Amino acid sequence: MDLMVEATPRRVFSNAHTYHINSISVNSDYETYMSADDLRINLWNLEITNRSFNIVDIKPTNMEELTEVITAAEFHPHHCNTFVYSSSKGTIRLCDMRSSALCDKHSKLFEEPEDPSNRSFFSEIISSISDVKFNHSGRYIMTRDYLTVKVWDLNMENRPIETYQVHDYLRSKLCSLYENDCIFDKFECVWNGSDSVIMTGSYNNFFRMFDRNTKRDVTLEASRENSKPRAILKPRKVCVGGKRRKDEISVDSLDFSKKILHTAWHPSENIIAVAATNNLYIFQDKVN
């Protein structure tokens, strides 16, 4: 017989969300965790399945006044009272559960002022944050919006300390990405074990890595056609116009139905997991 692996639920925590849950984060106290949907964040005790505490509620009394939704939330890796959540308006709020039971007043608000020269019909959509992640020390947070990954210092709220362009060549394509709904895709981002490299996904089964120390970046592709076991991934390049070199791919021939939204990095080793639609790829760095 083939080996069959089954997952059986140990506990079911129910009746706390009206909308899709977008984030779950276990607290560093290992006793509680939180779950977030579009309008609320709830705090659970791991032992109590039938009730939770509501710690953030942005639902307006009149739903027509709704201007933003919660897009992601995560606990601080070491301080069990601190968490962040991001919004569709491009803001990140840092909250402290010691200040009040309902964290409707944030202690810090991270937001980059918009450059008026870049303002367009799509500005608000592409500034929506799809993922937020603390680094391992808890000093920095990384956020992903549609075109960029940003790193913020918790001590500086007015602008990020690093900004990485994930696929800037799509700026001219926002109109067609809006028409095919891709502009609403939610890409995740992830730190490596030492916080020196960050990774996030893109289209055409591409994923990007940015080295924070050397400022070098690479585009790699996860696809069944060119990934034989033990084969080394070749860096890919996208050309935006003019003459295309033979190893480059034109921005017009990118496949937007193939996208890498979910990525994960091993906590201590250079092993990554990349989800490309219904395929899971696991890569590790070259073993001598």
Side-chain angles (χ1 to χ4, degrees):
M1 292 286 288
D2 286 344
L3 177 68
M4 294 289 285
V5 179
E6 267 188 15
T8 53
R10 305 281 288 274
R11 295 188 185 116
V12 177
F13 299 83
S14 52
N15 301 335
H17 287 281
T18 323
Y19 306 96
H20 291 298
I21 295 170
N22 56 45
S23 302
I24 287 180
S25 177
V26 178
N27 197 343
S28 58
D29 63 10
Y30 291 116
E31 290 179 9
T32 56
Y33 74 93
M34 68 176 171
S35 55
D37 67 25
D38 284 357
L39 300 179
R40 294 196 173 111
I41 301 177
N42 294 325
L43 182 70
W44 301 82
N45 186 302
L46 287 164
E47 301 300 323
I48 302 167
T49 58
N50 59 355
R51 66 172 187 273
S52 62
F53 295 98
N54 179 232
I55 51 174
V56 173
D57 187 349
I58 64 165
K59 186 175 182 177
T61 27
N62 177 4
M63 280 297 270
E64 284 174 9
E65 291 166 12
L66 184 69
T67 57
E68 64 180 331
V69 294
I70 298 166
T71 55
E74 192 182 53
F75 268 120
H76 189 284
H78 311 299
H79 303 315
C80 59
N81 50 283
T82 310
F83 66 94
V84 289
Y85 71 92
S86 58
S87 89
S88 56
K89 276 210 162 156
T91 60
I92 308 107
R93 290 174 174 84
L94 180 82
C95 301
D96 188 337
M97 292 192 292
R98 291 174 302 189
S99 50
S100 71
L102 188 65
C103 301
D104 46 1
K105 292 187 172 51
H106 52 269
S107 42
K108 288 189 175 182
L109 176 75
F110 301 87
E111 185 173 25
E112 188 170 28
E114 191 188 24
D115 179 358
S117 62
N118 282 344
R119 178 103 190 118
S120 76
F121 170 75
F122 305 109
S123 295
E124 198 162 299
I125 305 173
I126 63 171
S127 68
S128 174
I129 292 171
S130 54
D131 198 14
V132 58
K133 292 268 169 57
F134 275 102
N135 78 327
H136 293 79
S137 72
R139 166 78 190 268
Y140 303 101
I141 43 177
M142 165 169 55
T143 59
R144 171 77 154 94
D145 56 42
Y146 192 64
L147 294 176
T148 65
V149 171
K150 293 172 179 160
V151 176
W152 303 75
D153 186 327
L154 284 193
N155 300 327
M156 191 164 82
E157 296 170 59
N158 59 342
R159 63 189 172 84
I161 54 167
E162 297 161 28
T163 300
Y164 301 97
Q165 301 296 336
V166 178
H167 35 216
D168 206 43
Y169 45 78
L170 295 183
R171 240 176 239 284
S172 58
K173 297 253 173 279
L174 292 176
C175 207
S176 51
L177 289 161
Y178 178 75
E179 283 164 6
N180 65 12
D181 274 353
C182 282
I183 202 166
F184 302 107
D185 285 336
K186 294 181 168 25
F187 292 95
E188 293 173 3
C189 53
V190 65
W191 304 86
N192 72 337
S194 62
D195 295 331
S196 60
V197 181
I198 53 189
M199 172 172 67
T200 190
S202 180
Y203 293 103
N204 209 66
N205 282 354
F206 287 172
F207 59 99
R208 304 268 286 135
M209 287 184 177
F210 302 94
D211 188 311
R212 298 177 60 214
N213 302 324
T214 64
K215 299 298 178 214
R216 282 162 57 188
D217 63 274
V218 66
T219 303
L220 300 169
E221 183 180 0
S223 76
R224 294 177 78 150
E225 291 77 61
N226 58 12
S227 62
K228 298 179 181 69
R230 305 264 175 274
I232 290 170
L233 293 179
K234 290 191 194 69
R236 304 300 307 259
K237 280 200 165 53
V238 177
C239 83
V240 184
K243 291 187 79 171
R244 182 167 71 89
R245 295 204 185 102
K246 70 171 176 27
D247 57 342
E248 289 184 335
I249 180 166
S250 153
V251 68
D252 296 314
S253 55
L254 293 173
D255 186 343
F256 292 113
S257 65
K258 293 179 173 169
K259 52 192 100 169
I260 291 177
L261 302 178
H262 311 290
T263 53
W265 205 305
H266 188 285
S268 56
E269 293 175 49
N270 272 337
I271 300 175
I272 58 167
V274 174
T277 323
N278 56 349
N279 295 304
L280 178 68
Y281 296 87
I282 294 179
F283 301 110
Q284 71 182 102
D285 64 353
K286 200 162 66 183
V287 182
N288 294 327

